[in-house]
């Protein structure tokens, strides 16, 4: 038997945090740039692409379906020779999308609309995640698609042959941009107008990108409608910096004993700024400057200064807007005065790991008092100690505990950190540049 050797981070007490940095491209936008570019007519040029493993998995899936894609080069530029909505060809093997929930759920919508059969698989973490949330609406649309009996991958689409999908109206049972996007993408292959209503605002990159690629989409309040049969037209697409990656450095700058860090070119899409709202409410000294538009998305620079954070009750409306940022926000909470309370966040339990439990386990190991609820957590701020924590193969848990070392009394050893490469390949380098001390073993 071979034992897999995985990366461990050893993060030591450090700081101050100072610097002027760029974070890598937005993961959600990078995935979608490949999907839309591949299905468009003409050649799409993407810049600012995130060369993380998740987005490369999406790229490889489209390459396996006959799309010519070049890059990313050293400047993170990608060129995609679009095949049009009906130009993909049957993959010769299973499509392995690794750790990436966005790949499998959005691709499910695209593959459901193809004439040919295909099957998607993932890694150990993805293979435990719920897929019925996309299978159910797709089957209502007449798709011949299924997951395994317990609702997890593989996701198998048997293909439509000559048929079209049926248009539906779908009330999303949960606030999920992946499910919304899956249905909208399938809607491009349906026989009429497909619409979705969402119970809370979720990231709207799909809607924005449909427009950027010239595909008509209607947004009326929380209802989004798309008619089948139109086409996507290639364009030049600029990916903004990822606010989810930036959040690790926002929290680092806030919890550091001193210092000031500027994070440039951060995507400020209003459906993504929950972390900024929450950290400001916690008395974090964050200043948003140079607000501008780039590639159809608002971007800005964020100046962060060391702050005395306070525990708060998170507003329910901020939860979907900060859904990927909670692991880092929990570290801010552990360093704050008083109690931080989060509810209405049950979706955190079905991310790359159960992020409520993974973070609670690690924080308790580091001496922080936490109470876990089905849909949230209470965290009482205190002194972080040294300890060994498990990332549960979850990139955001690994990076959050690395940041926590800024305020720990001794080293934090973080196990299973390989997956940091899915979203933030240069995290360790950047962390060390701004004043943290993280060694990879
Ligand atoms: C994403 C949507 C969110 C988010 C994920 C990326 C997307 O997932 O957590 O990292 O790109 O649409 P849910 O739709 O499951 O909330």
């Amino acid at each position: 038997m071979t034992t897999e050797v995985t990366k461990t981070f050893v993060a030591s007490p450090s700081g101050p945090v100072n610097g002027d940095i760029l974070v890598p491209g937005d993961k959600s936008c990078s995935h979608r740039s490949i999907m839309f570019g591949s299905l468009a007519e003409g050649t799409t040029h993407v810049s600012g692409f995130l060369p993380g493993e998740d987005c490369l998995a999406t790229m490889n899936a489209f390459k396996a379906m006959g799309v010519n894609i070049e890059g990313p080069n050293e400047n993170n530029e990608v060129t995609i020779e679009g095949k049009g909505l009906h130009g993909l060809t049957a993959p010769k093997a299973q499509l392995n999308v690794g750790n990436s929930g966005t790949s499998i759920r959005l691709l499910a919508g695209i593959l459901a609309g193809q004439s040919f059969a295909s099957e998607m698989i993932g890694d150990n973490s993805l293979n435990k995640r719920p897929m019925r949330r996309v299978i159910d609406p797709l089957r209502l649309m007449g798709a011949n698609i299924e997951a395994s009996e317990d609702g997890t991958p593989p996701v198998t689409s048997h293909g439509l042959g000559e048929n079209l999908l049926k248009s539906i109206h779908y009330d999303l049972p949960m606030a999920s941009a992946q499910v919304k996007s899956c249905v909208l993408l399938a809607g491009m292959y349906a026989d009429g107008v497909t619409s979705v209503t969402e119970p809370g605002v979720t990231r709207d990159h799909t809607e924005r990108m449909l427009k950027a690629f010239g595909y008509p989409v209607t947004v009326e309040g929380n209802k989004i409608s798309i008619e089948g049969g139109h086409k996507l037209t290639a364009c030049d697409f600029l990916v903004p910096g990822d606010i989810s990656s930036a959040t690790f450095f926002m929290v680092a700058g806030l919890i550091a004993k001193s210092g000031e860090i500027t994070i440039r070119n951060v995507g400020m899409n209003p459906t993504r700024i929950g972390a900024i709202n929450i950290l400001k409410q916690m008395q974090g000294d964050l200043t948003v400057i140079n607000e501008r538009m780039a590639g159809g998305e608002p971007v800005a620079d964020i100046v962060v200064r060391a702050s005395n954070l306070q525990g708060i009750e998170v507003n329910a409306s901020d939860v979907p807007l900060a859904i990927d940022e909670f692991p880092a926000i929990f570290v801010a909470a552990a360093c704050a005065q008083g109690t931080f309370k989060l509810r209405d966040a049950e979706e955190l339990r079905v991310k790359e790991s159960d992020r409520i439990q993974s973070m609670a386990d690690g924080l308790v190991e580091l001496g922080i008092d936490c109470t876990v609820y089905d849909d949230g957590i209470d965290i009482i701020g205190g002194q972080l100690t040294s300890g060994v924590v498990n990332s549960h193969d979850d990139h955001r848990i690994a990076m959050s505990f690395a940041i926590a070392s800024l305020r720990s009394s001794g080293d934090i050893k973080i196990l299973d950190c390989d997956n940091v490469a899915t979203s933030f390949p240069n995290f360790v380098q950047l962390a060390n540049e701004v004043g943290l001390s993280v060694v990879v073993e």
Side-chain angles (χ1 to χ4, degrees):
M1 207 178 86
T2 52
T3 322
E4 220 178 300
V5 181
T6 57
K7 279 181 191 150
T8 296
F9 288 175
V10 180
S12 306
S14 55
V17 168
N18 284 302
D20 192 323
I21 61 167
L22 279 172
V23 289
D26 186 87
K27 186 151 77 74
S28 293
C29 293
S30 295
H31 278 296
R32 286 163 173 79
S33 71
I34 299 292
M35 296 179 188
F36 286 107
S38 296
L39 299 176
E41 293 178 18
T43 303
T44 290
H45 299 279
V46 182
S47 45
F49 184 80
L50 165 65
E53 288 169 2
D54 277 11
C55 302
L56 298 177
T58 291
M59 182 182 280
N60 287 335
F62 281 94
K63 282 184 179 171
M65 292 188 285
V67 185
N68 224 332
I69 306 177
E70 270 174 39
N73 63 16
E74 64 282 3
N75 297 322
N76 296 323
E77 293 158 337
V78 175
T79 304
I80 309 159
E81 283 176 35
K83 289 274 193 178
L85 275 171
H86 299 280
L88 299 179
T89 51
K92 293 196 174 64
Q94 285 178 317
L95 301 168
N96 187 343
V97 295
N99 193 244
S100 177
T102 305
S103 308
I104 201 164
R105 297 212 180 100
L106 270 61
L107 266 165
I110 294 170
L111 294 177
Q114 306 302 314
S115 57
F116 55 80
S118 54
E119 183 162 84
M120 289 183 286
I121 52 166
D123 69 4
N124 288 341
S125 150
L126 189 65
N127 285 341
K128 289 188 206 119
R129 296 182 65 190
M131 295 298 139
R132 280 200 191 113
R133 51 181 58 200
V134 289
I135 300 292
D136 289 348
L138 291 173
R139 289 181 77 94
L140 290 175
M141 296 177 82
N144 196 356
I145 193 165
E146 67 206 12
S148 66
E149 222 162 88
D150 65 353
T152 58
V155 169
T156 310
S157 171
H158 297 285
L160 280 179
E162 296 299 304
N163 298 327
L164 282 179
L165 293 172
K166 291 195 290 266
S167 53
I168 57 165
H169 173 73
Y170 195 63
D171 281 319
L172 290 177
M174 73 290 287
S176 164
Q178 291 179 351
V179 181
K180 168 179 71 175
S181 301
C182 170
V183 177
L184 293 176
L185 290 168
M188 297 193 298
Y189 294 95
D191 60 3
V193 177
T194 295
S195 53
V196 291
T197 47
E198 39 183 10
V201 176
T202 69
R203 65 191 67 193
D204 66 355
H205 303 298
T206 297
E207 296 91 305
R208 284 175 189 253
M209 221 177 274
L210 281 165
K211 287 181 191 154
F213 280 82
Y215 200 106
V217 58
T218 312
V219 181
E220 294 157 307
N222 65 344
K223 180 175 176 194
I224 304 116
S225 311
I226 188 167
E227 188 182 38
H230 295 271
K231 66 172 187 169
L232 295 162
T233 306
C235 67
D236 289 350
F237 192 81
L238 184 61
V239 178
D242 197 329
I243 192 166
S244 300
S245 299
T247 302
F248 297 108
F249 288 93
M250 288 186 224
V251 172
L254 294 175
I255 67 171
K257 291 185 191 94
S258 60
E260 176 179 309
I261 182 168
T262 302
I263 314 165
R264 301 217 180 256
N265 192 38
V266 180
M268 295 291 289
N269 181 311
T271 62
R272 296 284 298 279
I273 55 168
I276 295 184
N277 299 341
I278 293 167
L279 292 169
K280 277 190 173 170
Q281 221 188 319
M282 293 175 75
Q283 308 295 318
D285 185 349
L286 297 160
T287 313
V288 176
I289 57 169
N290 298 332
E291 291 182 76
R292 57 206 185 266
M293 286 299 287
E297 294 273 354
V299 298
D301 304 333
I302 303 171
V303 183
V304 186
R305 293 182 196 90
S307 304
N308 288 321
L309 298 175
Q310 303 294 319
I312 58 156
E313 264 182 52
V314 175
N315 293 325
S317 57
D318 275 326
V319 172
L321 312 189
I323 197 68
D324 287 343
E325 287 68 76
F326 282 110
I329 292 170
F330 291 176
V331 169
C335 299
Q337 276 187 344
T339 305
F340 171 95
K341 286 177 187 281
L342 172 70
R343 299 291 184 275
D344 292 317
E346 54 280 288
E347 278 294 303
L348 288 179
R349 293 205 178 265
V350 290
K351 296 294 176 189
E352 285 84 329
S353 71
D354 172 345
R355 286 185 173 158
I356 294 176
Q357 200 59 52
S358 305
M359 284 304 297
D361 288 350
L363 288 173
V364 167
E365 166 67 23
L366 300 175
I368 299 296
D369 194 347
C370 300
T371 310
V372 162
Y373 298 87
D374 285 349
D375 66 340
I377 192 167
D378 287 352
I379 299 171
I380 303 177
Q383 173 61 54
L384 289 151
T385 61
S386 64
V388 181
V389 299
N390 198 316
S391 81
H392 297 274
D393 271 332
D394 184 333
H395 54 138
R396 299 203 196 281
I397 304 295
M399 292 185 275
S400 298
F401 284 117
I403 298 297
S405 65
L406 282 164
R407 288 277 287 271
S408 62
S409 58
D411 289 357
I412 302 178
K413 193 170 181 175
I414 310 151
L415 308 177
D416 286 340
C417 295
D418 298 63
N419 279 344
V420 168
T422 60
S423 69
F424 205 156
N426 62 336
F427 169 76
V428 170
Q429 185 199 334
L430 215 46
N432 286 321
E433 257 172 52
V434 301
L436 281 96
S437 169
V438 185
V439 174
V440 183
E441 288 184 345

